Amino acid sequence: MISFYPGPSQVYYDIPKYVKDAHAKGILSMNHRSTEFMDLYKETVTLLKAKLNIPDSYKIFFTSSSTECWEIIAQSIIDKDSLHIFNGAFGEKWFTYTQRLTPAAQPLPFDCESKLPIKKIPDSYSGVLCITQNETSNGTEVNAGMLQSIKRKYSKALIAVDATSSMGGIALNFKSADIWFASVQKCFGLPAGLAVLVCAPKAIQRMKSTNESGHYNSLSILNEMADKWQTSYTPNVLGIYLLMRTLKKRKSIEQTHQKIKSRSEGWQKFFRGSPHITFFIKNQTVTSLTVLTLTAKPELIKVIKHLAITKGILLGDGYGSLKQDTFRIANFPAIKDTEIRKLQQFLRSYL
Ligand SMILES: *Cc1c(COP(=O)(O)O)cnc(C)c1O
């Protein structure tokens, strides 16, 4: 089965081989206090920084999911308030999860065809600005220029970015925000159960002033352990190993970005002029490069998804309120050109 689901998504073809290697090398029962583990942690962080262009001064932590990262930010970073600027289900979920832990959280919803409403953010805002860079539910993105503008204008604020369905797929400018996170079952092409949390020195400072250490995953504790290349609990060692192996083989993120971008343009061309299947988002300046959300009549979507399965192709369902009216196609690096051609061949008769 070829999976075009935007998470959990298709994993890299080499994964079975790497899992075998991990077993042969004793990784599956590796002690997380051993020097072997510390070397693995360190090597993976070095590779992440090199392959994704993450500044050397930033710290990288391993957690189990993006949802956990939402909670870590709420418990350990947000000292008073947070402002959640979102246009879809994941950004809204981040807001509701945060509100349960820190009730001062504020929502700032915006239309999914519009640019992020930067003018609505108070000028001297000094809390945590929470932005979903790639909204997986509707296929929109906040582009690099917008993130740069926000960073420049709100120097007192801390900027946190959910890049779950874009990190590892597109070139992100890590300098344009203070906290970034992503779980690995999307653009990293790995099995679920691991996430990467990236913190700028400014975020570490804020964490220190918040001074929270009441949880096993308090950022202060993760930070203390990371200084020793360790974690505060037994981590997903296999996940970290697979991340290391796949990163080693990866091209530079600029090259990956170019591939994803040209594939995205290919998909735009493919659906152009179709009376039956169209992009859900019409404004191309806010359209995601990594998650394609298509709209069609609900009956047609049902037929397409069903027949695709019989051809060995899994399409992504619509998400949340868009479940009936859309379907999604992941444009993630682990998918091969031949697989895209196979999907296009299948879809051509429904255009
Ligand atoms: C998938 C996704 C999440 C949730 O990730 P988990 O690893 O399941 O916690 C959060 N945000 C975005 C944008 C996502 O696409």
Side-chain angles (χ1 to χ4, degrees), residues 6-8 64-70 89-91 93-94 132-137 162-166 181-186 192-195 291 319 328 332:
S64 55
S65 67
S66 287
T67 305
E68 188 187 356
C69 295
W70 292 342
F90 283 101
K93 242 189 198 175
W94 185 3
T132 304
Q133 192 275 324
N134 199 73
E135 179 48 76
T136 322
S137 67
D162 181 340
T164 305
S165 52
S166 55
F181 57 89
S183 38
V184 300
Q185 73 274 19
K186 312 240 165 127
L194 180 71
V291 178
Y319 193 90
R328 293 174 301 158
F332 293 167

Side-chain angles (χ1 to χ4, degrees), residues 37-63:
F37 175 77
M38 289 154 71
D39 289 345
L40 172 62
Y41 190 136
K42 194 172 169 181
E43 185 176 12
T44 311
V45 166
T46 305
L47 280 164
L48 276 167
K49 286 184 175 177
K51 298 282 174 151
L52 303 186
N53 293 339
I54 299 173
D56 212 32
S57 60
Y58 283 38
K59 294 198 84 165
I60 297 180
F61 307 99
F62 295 117
T63 68

